[in-house]
Amino acid sequence: MDEVTTTNENKNIVDQSLQSEDQDSPDGSIVSPYFEDKEKVVIVNGLYVVYNTGKLNEAIALDGINFDIRSEEYITIFGPSGCGKSTVLNIIAGLEIPSSGNVTVIDQDLASLSSDEIAYFHRNSVGMIFQQYNLIPTLSVLDNVILPLVFEKRNVRERKKLGKEMLRRLGLGDFEKRFPQELSGGQQQRVGIARALITDPPIILADEAVGNLDSQSAKNVLEILDDLNLKSKKTIISVTHNPEHLFYADRVFYMRDGKLVKVEINKEKEREDAPQITKERTEFDILLQSFPDLSPMHLHVMLAPFKAKMLVAYFLSRFESEEIKHLEEIVKNRLLNALDGEQLFSELTKSTEIGGVGMTAPMAKKLMAVIDDVMDRSVMIKDQNESLKQGRNKPMEKLIDRLRHSLLEEFEGELRIDEVKALNRGIEYRLLSKINREEFMEYLDRPFSDGGVGLNRKTAKKLSRKMELIMLMEYGQ
Ligand code: ADP
Ligand code: MG
């Protein structure tokens, strides 16, 4: 989980935005232990792509990219439109020639191949899947699928037999005689996958393969890719700008402005034959047993919209509903780390006419401070819970102090020392789930002389709301 949403990144959002520009490029060759002994099937070194060199419209599409990909890895390249994702895929596929740099795919230095050799390589070593499916409308589904075999020595009957088998594998046995436009988007993409697989290439390249599909078809196609990776042992290199698709990957390559800016290993990706690392069972793992199909990463992604909603609802009530929806989307992307602090600020302050939410800079900073504060505290709770699970007796005082400070931002008055102590006790009880939300609120509200903290009802409500928000944020991280 922490691999995709690195928890300490949620701290100091503003500071991070200041640093993010001059980060060193990440090491794109570190893999999880499972892949350490596997062969490097793609090696990219010092890759530059410049369009229109020397002209006024000169554009650097790739700006010094380095990474290795191991056999059977599932890599997802993630980044905003125009950052160079497709260019990377096209170069690995042998469709584009870099301005400089070395690219080796399955032991072949692509720059050293003749054009015939490149064509052979492209047909047999990589299968490509595109957002627009790229099917030929005048050919039947079956003929589309067997098109890449046209250069092979096999006779037509053999090719058709292979094509039919492939269509059956993808659940399209009944559609071979149809034409692409008679099929739904999801079905057309499965035809695209069948075509990519027909030469049995070891590497599959998928460029926004589900970008045009509704969420159900997208899930179906993503699961096919996952199966191809886990069962058929294909190396998958996929491209997306949707953070909700990241949990299929073994590693995520984050790109921005033609650069690789971050590489994350997804430890949640399960591999049946991987050595089992026994890990501590957290409260969260136990909760997960009620949802056997969900990984914590799934859950985090699922919960992100809800968390975003709670955060935004907490922060403001004066916005129009459209703007609130948009704001939730922006905050969700921040929670999923699809936006860094700087990008978050720019989204928040962009005017509504160009798709922003038109916040003033001070208001955006205030919201960012709230997110920062709540996330930071939730990370502390998580750390506390983890050390508790490991049987370490980590003192809770510091966590409680920090939480109290966060909560008291909602409080105008001053607390006496004995009231502070009472509040601390309440926070501790709530953290340990000895009391629930209502009991916590009631405790805050109850007069000090009756064993409570003695806050007024409105303040008690505000404080307990923030406490619940912080505790919610900790889930699924
Ligand atoms: P992505 O797939 O991440 O959206 P691309 O790899 O398609 O990005 O493009 C990267 C950058 O290179 C973009 O700024 C794009 O405008 C530019 N680019 C891509 N192809 C060409 C081309 N043929 N001529 C000029 N610029 C191009
Ligand atoms: Mg693209």
Side-chain angles (χ1 to χ4, degrees):
M1 170 92 304
D2 295 346
E3 277 55 54
V4 165
T5 305
T6 312
T7 43
N8 52 23
E9 281 209 44
N10 293 320
K11 296 173 184 169
N12 304 324
I13 290 167
V14 182
D15 294 352
Q16 186 204 343
S17 72
L18 297 175
Q19 292 158 4
S20 61
E21 280 310 321
D22 45 47
Q23 261 174 5
D24 286 340
S25 66
D27 192 334
S29 61
I30 298 176
V31 293
S32 69
Y34 179 79
F35 290 105
E36 266 166 13
D37 297 331
K38 302 234 187 255
E39 176 199 352
K40 292 178 179 175
V41 287
V42 178
I43 305 169
V44 167
N45 261 322
L47 188 59
Y48 284 87
V49 172
V50 185
Y51 291 110
N52 309 314
T53 308
K55 299 195 185 137
L56 267 178
N57 57 349
E58 181 175 292
I60 300 176
L62 296 182
D63 193 4
I65 301 251
N66 304 295
F67 60 75
D68 303 335
I69 294 174
R70 304 287 178 138
S71 177
E72 298 177 28
E73 261 198 297
Y74 191 133
I75 299 290
T76 296
I77 304 175
F78 174 74
S81 168
C83 71
K85 305 181 295 295
S86 296
T87 308
V88 170
L89 279 202
N90 290 340
I91 284 174
I92 294 172
L95 294 177
E96 269 188 61
I97 298 168
S99 310
S100 68
N102 298 314
V103 180
T104 306
V105 182
I106 318 182
D107 297 328
Q108 301 186 83
D109 174 5
L110 296 192
S112 72
L113 301 183
S114 70
S115 58
D116 280 356
E117 286 167 335
I118 279 282
Y120 183 85
F121 160 81
H122 182 69
R123 273 199 315 278
N124 295 287
S125 300
V126 297
M128 283 196 98
I129 308 167
F130 305 90
Q131 178 171 9
Q132 313 291 348
Y133 327 127
N134 291 11
L135 302 175
I136 297 178
T138 52
L139 293 182
S140 73
V141 161
L142 181 59
D143 287 338
N144 264 286
V145 170
I146 61 176
L147 199 61
L149 297 177
V150 78
F151 302 95
E152 291 201 2
K153 289 194 182 71
R154 298 174 208 270
N155 66 36
V156 180
R157 232 190 42 219
E158 274 174 0
R159 286 183 221 154
K160 289 204 163 165
K161 187 164 167 262
L162 275 177
K164 286 177 184 179
E165 269 169 28
M166 190 56 76
L167 283 169
R168 260 199 304 279
R169 252 180 81 185
L170 289 158
L172 293 168
D174 297 337
F175 296 87
E176 57 175 78
K177 294 205 173 71
R178 304 267 194 105
F179 287 86
Q181 61 275 21
E182 297 174 310
L183 271 54
S184 73
Q187 290 165 337
Q188 289 187 59
Q189 192 55 294
R190 279 188 277 151
V191 176
I193 295 174
R195 182 189 51 193
L197 291 173
I198 197 74
T199 58
D200 198 24
I203 301 175
I204 302 292
L205 305 170
D207 194 348
E208 303 273 8
V210 301
N212 274 357
L213 303 179
D214 61 87
S215 61
Q216 195 50 44
S217 312
K219 188 161 177 268
N220 173 263
V221 166
L222 288 169
E223 269 158 19
I224 292 171
L225 290 177
D226 197 44
D227 251 32
L228 286 171
N229 178 237
L230 293 176
K231 299 201 180 120
S232 311
K233 307 291 182 195
K234 302 284 183 198
T235 305
I236 309 268
I237 310 174
S238 75
V239 156
T240 187
H241 63 268
N242 186 343
E244 295 178 23
H245 297 157
L246 299 182
F247 50 69
Y248 291 94
D250 292 300
R251 279 189 298 159
V252 179
F253 291 180
Y254 290 82
M255 281 188 68
R256 225 172 113 191
D257 302 331
K259 293 190 174 79
L260 190 61
V261 293
K262 185 163 67 169
V263 175
E264 278 174 342
I265 297 175
N266 171 17
K267 291 192 189 124
E268 296 298 332
K269 172 102 179 184
E270 280 180 20
R271 296 194 167 266
E272 275 172 14
D273 48 345
Q276 288 297 313
I277 303 159
T278 42
K279 55 174 186 184
E280 294 291 333
R281 244 163 51 125
T282 63
E283 193 180 331
F284 193 63
D285 292 327
I286 295 164
L287 181 76
L288 272 179
Q289 290 178 342
S290 326
F291 306 96
D293 296 336
L294 293 181
S295 71
M297 202 154 156
H298 277 95
L299 207 68
H300 177 60
V301 166
M302 275 173 45
L303 279 176
F306 179 63
K307 290 177 177 177
K309 198 183 197 69
M310 301 307 285
L311 247 166
V312 169
Y314 172 78
F315 183 68
L316 21 91
S317 50
R318 65 198 124 178
F319 276 65
E320 300 293 329
S321 67
E322 262 313 295
E323 284 168 341
I324 289 183
K325 249 195 229 149
H326 190 181
L327 188 54
E328 284 169 5
E329 186 66 24
I330 293 171
V331 173
K332 180 191 82 178
N333 282 331
R334 175 59 203 151
L335 294 182
L336 292 169
N337 264 351
L339 292 175
D340 62 23
E342 189 189 343
Q343 290 167 324
L344 174 64
F345 183 76
S346 123
E347 286 297 316
L348 293 174
T349 51
K350 213 156 66 179
S351 90
T352 44
E353 285 98 74
I354 53 168
V357 286
M359 277 190 177
T360 61
M363 195 188 280
K365 287 207 172 117
K366 208 165 155 192
L367 172 59
M368 288 168 76
V370 169
I371 298 176
D372 194 5
D373 174 49
V374 169
M375 296 311 296
D376 192 29
R377 298 300 163 266
S378 72
V379 168
M380 287 183 76
I381 296 180
K382 185 187 148 99
D383 290 349
Q384 181 75 36
N385 284 344
E386 261 161 25
S387 67
L388 215 80
K389 298 283 144 48
Q390 287 161 16
R392 280 191 284 126
N393 217 351
K394 188 173 169 182
M396 288 182 82
E397 281 83 42
K398 197 171 154 213
L399 170 62
I400 291 173
D401 267 356
R402 300 286 287 275
L403 282 169
R404 193 189 65 244
H405 277 291
S406 289
L407 298 185
L408 288 178
E409 274 163 23
E410 308 301 320
F411 180 63
E412 249 106 73
E414 284 275 337
L415 289 184
R416 294 192 319 266
I417 188 92
D418 46 0
E419 288 168 334
V420 168
K421 279 190 186 150
L423 177 54
N424 284 352
R425 201 157 44 240
I427 293 172
E428 181 180 343
Y429 274 45
R430 181 66 197 102
L431 273 180
L432 298 172
S433 290
K434 289 186 182 169
I435 53 176
N436 66 24
R437 176 191 185 149
E438 278 69 39
E439 288 161 339
F440 181 61
M441 192 175 90
E442 193 273 327
Y443 174 80
L444 297 178
D445 187 33
R446 195 189 314 154
F448 186 73
S449 53
D450 286 351
V453 184
L455 302 173
N456 71 35
R457 181 141 197 93
K458 215 169 133 202
T459 309
K461 215 168 166 174
K462 271 194 195 165
L463 261 62
S464 65
R465 225 177 118 205
K466 186 157 192 185
M467 185 72 193
E468 294 312 304
L469 184 71
I470 293 170
M471 290 182 69
L472 167 71
M473 292 300 144
E474 193 252 331
Y475 269 114
Q477 293 247 20

